Amino acid sequence: MAGGSQQLKKQHPLQRRSADMKIGMIGLGRMGGNMADRLRAGGHEVVGYDLDPQSGRDVDSIQALVEALETPRIIWVMVPAGKPTQSTMDQLASLLSDDDLIVDGGNTRFADDQMHARMLEPKGIHLVDVGTSNGIWGKEKGYALMVGGTDQDVERVMPILQTLKPEGENGLVHAGGTGAGHYTKMVHNGIEYGMMQALAEGYAVMDASDLVKDPGQVMASWREGSVINSWLLDLLVKALKEDPGLKHIAGKANESGEAKWMIEDALELGVPTPVTTASLYARQDSQIADPTTMKVVSALRKEFGGHPVEQE
Amino acid sequence: MAGGSQQLKKQHPLQRRSADMKIGMIGLGRMGGNMADRLRAGGHEVVGYDLDPQSGRDVDSIQALVEALETPRIIWVMVPAGKPTQSTMDQLASLLSDDDLIVDGGNTRFADDQMHARMLEPKGIHLVDVGTSNGIWGKEKGYALMVGGTDQDVERVMPILQTLKPEGENGLVHAGGTGAGHYTKMVHNGIEYGMMQALAEGYAVMDASDLVKDPGQVMASWREGSVINSWLLDLLVKALKEDPGLKHIAGKANESGEAKWMIEDALELGVPTPVTTASLYARQDSQIADPTTMKVVSALRKEFGGHPVEQE
Amino acid sequence: MAGGSQQLKKQHPLQRRSADMKIGMIGLGRMGGNMADRLRAGGHEVVGYDLDPQSGRDVDSIQALVEALETPRIIWVMVPAGKPTQSTMDQLASLLSDDDLIVDGGNTRFADDQMHARMLEPKGIHLVDVGTSNGIWGKEKGYALMVGGTDQDVERVMPILQTLKPEGENGLVHAGGTGAGHYTKMVHNGIEYGMMQALAEGYAVMDASDLVKDPGQVMASWREGSVINSWLLDLLVKALKEDPGLKHIAGKANESGEAKWMIEDALELGVPTPVTTASLYARQDSQIADPTTMKVVSALRKEFGGHPVEQE
Amino acid sequence: MAGGSQQLKKQHPLQRRSADMKIGMIGLGRMGGNMADRLRAGGHEVVGYDLDPQSGRDVDSIQALVEALETPRIIWVMVPAGKPTQSTMDQLASLLSDDDLIVDGGNTRFADDQMHARMLEPKGIHLVDVGTSNGIWGKEKGYALMVGGTDQDVERVMPILQTLKPEGENGLVHAGGTGAGHYTKMVHNGIEYGMMQALAEGYAVMDASDLVKDPGQVMASWREGSVINSWLLDLLVKALKEDPGLKHIAGKANESGEAKWMIEDALELGVPTPVTTASLYARQDSQIADPTTMKVVSALRKEFGGHPVEQE
C-alpha cells in the first residue's frame, strides 16, 4: 500500500500543498475509507482501523493502531455520532498519552465535543472537531471542512486538512474553539434542510398545477441566469432526468439530527428559525403514519360538528 | 304543522323574545332542519323546501315556496356553499321582487356575498349574510350568529335572529356590511383551527412521553382552575373518555375551507397568521399519502449523500 | 396569625376537605404568599420564609424555618425557576433529614426535577413537583395542580393539594413520577401559547379588515354558543372593553420558557409541534428590534436585484 | 442609434443566434432599458417608449410606437405589474390589430395574464407572458426566461428570447399556455424566498453564538465542496465582505408579491408550503412596527397572570 501511494504521490498535485504526515484513521466506512484514500493519494501515510475485518483495515484493534503510530500521535475518528464515537473516545482516552491529538471528523453534536474535550484535557490529549460536507463527491473533489479547536492544534493538523479540502481558496475554515467545527457543520446542514424544502415546495406546486407542462424542464432552465442557481438545483434536475416525476421514490425523508440540534440551540439563543423548523417538521411528518395530532383534531370535529371521522 | 307549532308556542319561553314572523327556509338538512324546528318552537311560521322529498318539506319547489310567502318576503337559504348556494341565488334572483330579502345562513365565502349582493341589488332584492356556529348543539342551546348587512335589513330579520341565538346577552353580533357575517364566521373558524391544533399538539407530546401516565386524565384536570379552560377542552376530555387513546379514530382531518380563506385574506392584508396557517397545513398534510415535497427531499439526499431512499 | 387562621378555619368550607397540616413555605411572593393565605384559610399551619424582610415572613432564614417544623417535615418551595430554586434545593439538601419532603411548586424544568431528585435521594429526602395554573385568580378560586412523584409521596401531601385546588372534581392530577407535574404544566402552557396566538391572529385579521366594524364586539358575541368559547376569550373580551383597540399595550410579548422546553422535548420525541413553535417564534420576533435574518434577506435582495435597502 | 447597434451587431456573438427582428419596447426602466440594449447589441431593432422623457425613448407615445412598427407587430411590455400593466394592455387593445402580438415581460400575476388574453382574443391580438430572472446581471449575462403562450406565438418571438437568454443550453423554457411564464417565475421567486431565509437563519444563529468567530468567513468557506453552494451564497459572502456584520443594513425586508401569490395558489391546490409561507411571514413581520397579535397576547398575559405589559 505504501508503494502504491508513493506512486500516486509522484503524480498527484495534492502533494505539493502539504508536508507528508502519518496518522491513524478509525472508521473505514464510505466516508472514512474515501478520506483515507484521498489522504494517501496526497502523500500521507494512513494506518486504518475498522470494526469490520472486510474493511481493508491495516490493524485489527484500536490498541494496535495506537501502537503503530509514533508519539505525539494524530488519530482521525470517523465513526457514527453518539455511542460509537463516545466509545471510541473512551478507549482512546485510556490508550493515548500526553500531546496526542484526536480529530473527530464525524457528525458529533457540538455540546458533546466540549464534553469530550473536558474528559481528555486532564490527560493532555488534544481534540480537534471537523465537520465535513460533500458526501460521496468528496473523495474526488475534496471535502468542505469546518474546524474547531485551538489555533495550535488546528495548525498541527493543517497538512491533513489541506489535502482533504477542495482545491481553490475556499472549502476550509477554522470556525472557532472546540465544538465550532461541528457547530458550523450543523448550521450548514440546517441551511441545507431549508434550501431543499424550498426547492421541494416549488416543484410540488408546479407539479400540482395544470398550467405547467413539465416542472423538471422548468427547473433545468433555471440552471442558467436565475437567482436560485445552486448545486442542489443541479442535483434535482439530474434526479428528475433519471426518474421523471420521481415516481420511484417514496414521499418520506429522514432527518439526520443536525437541523434538530440547530433549532434547539437557536431556541436557547432566542433566534427564531421558522424555515429550518418547518423543514424538519415536514420530514418528521412524512415518517408518522397515523399522527396523534390529527386524531385529536378529527375527534374534536366529530364532537362539536358531527363531522364524520375515518374509523380505524 | 301550524297547529303544532302554535301549541309549542304557548309553552316556549323563546316566543316572548320576538315578534312572530313567517319565512321561507331553503335547505332542510341537519343545519337547516334544526333551525326550522327552533324557529317554529319560537313561534315563527316556516315554509320549508329541500331538494330531497324525504326531508319533510312543505313545498316541492323554490317557486312554490316563493308563492307561499306574502311580499315583502324573507327567505333563509341554508344550503352548501359554492355551487348549490350560487344556483339558489340565481333562481331567487329571477323569482323574487322588489324589497324581498334573502338571508344566506350557509358557509359562503365573504367575497361571494358581495358578488351576490351586486347581482341582487338592481332587482331591489336585499341580502343579509349570517355565519353560524354551534353545529349540532344549536337546536337546543341556540346558534352563535354573526350577521352582515345594512342596519335596516338586519333590523328587519332581527326577530328570527333573536329566536335562533342562545339565551343570554351574547351570541349575536351585527358585524358590518354585506359579507361581514361570513367574514367573522370565517375568522371564528380560523381561531378554532388554531385552538384545536394547540390542544392536539399538547396531547400528542404527553402521549409520546414516558413521563405522563394518562394524558386524558391530565386534560380532564385542566377543566377547572386552568387558563386553557374551554369548550374544546371539555369536548376533548369527553372524546378521550369515550375512546381512550383515540384508537378508533384515524389520524386524518378534513379542512372546511374557512381557515384557507382567512389565510388568503390575511395574506392580502399583510397580517401574518402563522398559527392558523400551520393548523391548516397539518390537516392538508394528513390527507396527502405520498407527498411530492418529500419525494424531492429524498431524491436530493440520495443524489448528494448517497442516502438510501425508500423505493416505490 | 395562628389565632386568625383558627378563626377563619371555623368558617371556611375548605377545612372539611382535608386534615390539618403544618408545613413550611419558602417564597412569599405573589404566588407563594397567596398560596400560604389559602392554606391558612383552609386550616393548615404555614411557617413562611422569604428573602424579603417586608414579605410578612414568620422566620428570617431557611435554617430557622427548618427548625420550626417537626420531622418528618414538609416544605413547599415557591421561588423562581433556575438559580433561586437550585440554591434553595442545595440549602435544603444540607439542612433536611431522612423522610423530609420537599414540594417544588415553582416553574422548574422537568429535567431539573429529576436532577434534584437524584441529589436528594441519597439523603432520604423526598421530592414532589407541582405545576400550578390560574395565576392571580388562584387565591380565591383555587389553583389547577399537576403533580409528579411517587404514589406514597403524593398521598402524603394530598391534604395540602386538596386545599389549594379549586372546588369540584377537576383541577388536580397526579400525572406521573418525578418531573411529571412540571412536564404537564409545561405542556399546559404550550397549549396556552397556541390558543392565545390563535385568538390574536383572528383579532388582528378582523382589526385590519375594513369589513368588520368592531372586532371586540364580535369576540364578545362568541362567548355564547360558539365552538371557541373559553376563558381566554372571556379575558380578551374584558381586556378589549377596558382598552378598546388595545391602544395602551405595546406589541411585544415575553416568553416564560415553558413553550420552549416543550418544543425541545417534542423535537427529541419526534412529535412536530408547528403551532406551539409558531406561537413562540411570534413572541421572540416581537422582542427583536433589528432582526439579523432580515438584514441578510435585505442584503441579498440588494445584491441580486439592486433593490433599495433601508440604511442604518 | 440604429447605426451604433449595427456596429455592435457586427462584433457581437449574439447576432448569430437569431434572425433580426424589429420590436417595440414599452418601459425603459432598469429592466426594460437593459433589455433593449441587449436586444440591439444582438442585432434587433428596438423602438422604445417610456413615460419619462429622460428615458432615451424613441417615440413619445404608445400610439407613435404602434405607428412606428409594421404589422404584424411585436411589442414587449416591461412596466410594473398591476395598474401600469393593466393600463398599457387597455391602450394596446384599442390600438393594435389582428395578428399583432404583445409580450408581457413584467411581473404580472398569472391569473391576470389569463384575463388579459381573454380581453385581447376577440381582437385577434396574441399574448405571450415572460417571467424573467437575473435582475441587474441580465444585461451582460443574459436573462433566465420562463415563457407562457401557444406554441405558435412562442415560436414567433423566439429570436428575441434567444438574444435575451444567457448563453448555454439552459435559461429558457416554454413552460405552458398563457400565464405559465409568470406562474413559473412566481414559483422561482417563492423558492428564492425560502433559500434566502434558510441562509439568513443559518447566519443569524452563527452570529448569535459565542462559538463562531466570524460567520462571514464560515460562509465563504462553503463556496467550495459544500452542498449549499449557490449563487445566493456567493452574493451573501460578497455582501458580508462589503459590510461585515451587515451593520449598515436595516433588519427589514420587502416582499414583491410573488411568494404571496404562490402560497395563495398552493392553498387552492392543497399543497402545503410551510417554508415559503414562513419566509413571507418573516418579511411581513419585519415591516410591522407594533404587531396587533402581540398586543393581544400581551393583554391576555396581563389579564390572567398579572404579567407586566409594556405601556404605550
Side-chain angles (χ1 to χ4, degrees), chain C:
Chain C
M1 180 179 308
S5 84
Q6 285 303 322
Q7 200 171 24
L8 250 176
K9 195 180 150 185
K10 289 197 183 96
Q11 303 148 353
H12 202 285
L14 291 177
Q15 64 162 306
R16 286 184 302 271
R17 289 200 273 171
S18 56
D20 296 356
M21 299 190 80
K22 180 176 179 181
I23 69 159
M25 171 76 71
I26 299 178
L28 301 172
R30 197 180 50 196
M31 286 294 286
N34 283 347
M35 282 185 157
D37 289 348
R38 186 171 171 94
L39 285 171
R40 283 166 179 150
H44 302 289
E45 192 173 343
V46 178
V47 182
Y49 166 72
D50 194 283
L51 278 174
D52 180 1
Q54 312 297 322
S55 61
R57 65 191 186 184
D58 301 302
V59 292
D60 62 1
S61 73
I62 290 186
Q63 181 160 357
L65 179 132
V66 168
E67 285 164 7
L69 300 167
E70 296 87 48
T71 57
R73 303 173 187 90
I74 294 179
I75 296 180
W76 189 289
V77 177
M78 205 69 201
V79 301
K83 280 187 186 161
T85 293
Q86 187 59 54
S87 148
T88 305
M89 290 291 159
D90 289 343
Q91 288 178 71
L92 289 175
S94 68
L95 292 168
L96 295 184
S97 352
D98 192 36
D99 262 347
D100 287 349
L101 186 154
I102 300 170
V103 180
D104 182 353
N107 287 317
T108 299
R109 193 171 180 164
F110 73 94
D112 291 345
D113 290 322
Q114 296 170 329
M115 190 185 65
H116 294 154
R118 280 192 299 272
M119 175 188 75
L120 297 168
E121 203 207 358
K123 300 167 193 257
I125 307 171
H126 300 238
L127 180 67
V128 168
D129 59 285
V130 178
T132 65
S133 186
N134 215 10
I136 51 177
W137 305 77
K139 181 180 174 179
E140 187 191 341
K141 302 196 170 179
Y143 299 88
L145 303 174
M146 293 136 264
V147 186
T150 65
D151 286 353
Q152 218 174 352
D153 288 346
V154 173
E155 195 51 45
R156 195 168 146 198
V157 296
M158 194 50 83
I160 298 167
L161 303 175
Q162 288 291 348
T163 302
L164 288 174
K165 78 179 280 290
E167 296 200 49
E169 58 174 322
N170 302 309
L172 171 63
V173 68
H174 180 193
T178 303
H182 286 136
Y183 192 90
T184 49
K185 176 55 171 36
M186 170 191 86
V187 171
H188 171 278
N189 281 28
I191 295 172
E192 188 185 292
Y193 271 61
M195 283 191 168
M196 286 164 77
Q197 180 72 20
L199 285 164
E201 293 179 5
Y203 177 83
V205 167
M206 292 195 293
D207 189 54
S209 169
D210 286 341
L211 211 48
V212 182
K213 278 186 303 191
D214 178 351
Q217 210 183 355
V218 174
M219 290 200 135
S221 85
W222 291 338
R223 295 184 63 195
E224 247 157 315
S226 107
V227 172
I228 64 173
N229 209 337
S230 56
W231 194 45
L232 284 166
L233 178 66
D234 293 347
L235 293 176
L236 180 52
V237 169
K238 179 168 172 287
L240 286 165
K241 270 186 191 148
E242 289 161 6
D243 177 8
L246 303 177
K247 290 186 172 50
H248 302 291
I249 291 181
K252 289 185 181 180
N254 288 316
E255 55 132 332
S256 54
E258 278 152 332
K260 188 176 74 181
W261 298 338
M262 170 174 158
I263 296 163
E264 288 174 2
D265 201 56
L267 284 166
E268 293 299 327
L269 292 168
V271 176
T273 55
V275 153
T276 315
T277 309
S279 304
L280 175 66
Y281 287 169
R283 294 195 191 184
Q284 289 184 337
D285 274 327
S286 78
Q287 301 286 347
I288 300 172
D290 196 28
T292 306
T293 45
M294 289 304 104
K295 284 170 173 274
V296 171
V297 169
S298 193
L300 282 170
R301 297 186 79 231
K302 181 187 166 198
E303 289 293 335
F304 71 70
H307 297 284
V309 297
E310 204 167 310
Q311 300 290 323
E312 286 193 326

Side-chain angles (χ1 to χ4, degrees), chain B residues 222-242:
Chain B
W222 292 338
R223 295 183 62 194
E224 247 157 312
S226 106
V227 172
I228 63 173
N229 210 335
S230 54
W231 194 46
L232 284 165
L233 177 66
D234 294 347
L235 292 176
L236 180 51
V237 169
K238 178 168 172 287
L240 287 165
K241 271 187 190 146
E242 290 160 6

Side-chain angles (χ1 to χ4, degrees), chain A residues 50-169:
Chain A
D50 194 283
L51 278 173
D52 179 2
Q54 312 297 323
S55 61
R57 64 190 186 185
D58 301 301
V59 292
D60 62 2
S61 73
I62 290 187
Q63 182 160 354
L65 179 133
V66 168
E67 286 165 5
L69 300 168
E70 298 85 48
T71 58
R73 303 172 185 90
I74 294 179
I75 296 180
W76 189 290
V77 177
M78 204 70 199
V79 302
K83 280 185 186 163
T85 293
Q86 186 59 52
S87 146
T88 306
M89 289 291 159
D90 289 342
Q91 287 178 71
L92 289 175
S94 68
L95 293 167
L96 295 184
S97 352
D98 192 36
D99 261 346
D100 286 349
L101 186 154
I102 300 170
V103 179
D104 182 353
N107 287 318
T108 299
R109 192 170 181 166
F110 73 95
D112 290 345
D113 291 322
Q114 296 170 330
M115 192 185 64
H116 294 153
R118 279 193 299 273
M119 175 188 75
L120 298 168
E121 204 207 357
K123 300 167 193 257
I125 307 170
H126 300 236
L127 180 67
V128 168
D129 58 287
V130 178
T132 65
S133 187
N134 215 10
I136 51 177
W137 304 78
K139 181 181 174 179
E140 187 190 342
K141 301 195 171 179
Y143 299 89
L145 303 174
M146 294 137 264
V147 187
T150 65
D151 285 352
Q152 218 174 352
D153 288 347
V154 174
E155 195 51 46
R156 196 168 145 196
V157 296
M158 193 51 83
I160 298 167
L161 303 175
Q162 288 290 349
T163 302
L164 288 174
K165 78 179 281 290
E167 296 200 50
E169 56 174 324

